[in-house]
Amino acid sequence: MVAQVQKNVVVEHFTNTRCGICANKNPSLFTNLNNNPNVIHLAVHPSSPYSSCVLNQHNVSENDARTNYYNIYGATPRIVIQGTVMSPSTNFGDASIFANQTGQTSPFTVRTNLELIGNGQATISAVVKTEATHNFTSLKLFTAIAEDTIFYNAPNDENQHYNVFRESVFEVDGKMITPATMIGDSVMFSETITLSNDWDWSRILAIS
């Protein structure tokens, strides 16, 4: 059957390990995510308001670039759901915050694969398959490496940090791509990266 497919909901979470407000609000978000296991979560750590955040210092430029992409640099915590910037006053524990985004459809499926290839390297590939008729001539594909759990006793008393952004794979603001026009056809993009010794390689994943 040829038909649109249901979109996955993606929440990008902008937080900081020295942010006391984050420590107060983040647990509600994680409870909400546990209750919505199909929602994809990525945590980005900008350098403002606290430039000494260890998880920001690992990759300052790309953490800040992702934050500036949404024009929300300067305060944490913030969330962006499906590319829509949510108000700073959003209740992270509100069970309905993902409701407006569920059930949306797309003419594309996206599959991301990460393969450890030895010598401290991994190959990441993203495949965008056309599932239904569409009029798109260009799309922006953002793919990131994340670490699913980092155990770090942060100054704000958060001790576990989830789906922490480590590095963008193709381009920091997203790679412009031309999707296939024929139903059933795909376009694939691949990159080999060197893994940092600061990462737990058994916990890394790729998100598109």
Side-chain angles (χ1 to χ4, degrees), residues 14-87:
F14 298 84
T15 183
N16 191 289
T17 60
R18 289 182 172 271
C19 167
I21 298 174
C22 299
N24 289 331
K25 293 190 67 173
N26 288 345
S28 296
L29 177 63
F30 295 131
T31 297
N32 214 339
L33 289 166
N34 288 335
N35 292 332
N36 293 273
N38 293 326
V39 174
I40 297 169
H41 167 256
L42 180 67
V44 179
H45 291 75
S47 60
S48 180
Y50 302 99
S51 61
S52 55
C53 170
V54 168
L55 299 181
N56 167 263
Q57 290 179 338
H58 177 79
N59 188 345
V60 176
S61 62
E62 293 193 349
N63 276 285
D64 287 357
R66 195 62 186 165
T67 313
N68 283 314
Y69 180 80
Y70 293 114
N71 197 29
I72 55 173
Y73 183 82
T76 52
R78 297 292 301 272
I79 57 173
V80 175
I81 302 176
Q82 218 72 327
T84 299
V85 176
M86 308 302 289
S87 165

Side-chain angles (χ1 to χ4, degrees), residues 117-144:
I117 59 174
N119 297 319
Q121 292 187 309
T123 297
I124 298 90
S125 59
V127 179
V128 181
K129 181 180 179 182
T130 297
E131 303 284 1
T133 302
H134 67 87
N135 296 316
F136 291 98
T137 57
S138 63
L139 298 170
K140 184 171 282 190
L141 174 68
F142 177 71
T143 301

Side-chain angles (χ1 to χ4, degrees), residues 86-141:
M86 308 302 289
S87 165
S89 62
T90 298
N91 176 5
F92 287 4
D94 183 351
S96 67
I97 62 172
F98 304 124
N100 291 336
Q101 309 294 343
T102 57
Q104 295 182 0
T105 59
S106 169
F108 309 103
T109 54
V110 181
R111 185 177 75 252
T112 311
N113 183 64
L114 184 150
E115 180 183 5
L116 298 174
I117 59 174
N119 297 319
Q121 292 187 309
T123 297
I124 298 90
S125 59
V127 179
V128 181
K129 181 180 179 182
T130 297
E131 303 284 1
T133 302
H134 67 87
N135 296 316
F136 291 98
T137 57
S138 63
L139 298 170
K140 184 171 282 190
L141 174 68

Side-chain angles (χ1 to χ4, degrees), residues 13 15 26-27 29-31 33-34 41-45 55 146-151 158-165 203 205 207:
H13 173 207
T15 183
N26 288 345
L29 177 63
F30 295 131
T31 297
L33 289 166
N34 288 335
H41 167 256
L42 180 67
V44 179
H45 291 75
L55 299 181
E147 200 165 337
D148 67 18
T149 310
I150 293 177
F151 300 92
E158 289 186 287
N159 299 324
Q160 294 185 31
H161 312 268
Y162 303 107
N163 303 317
V164 174
F165 170 78
R203 291 186 173 277
L205 52 90
I207 298 173

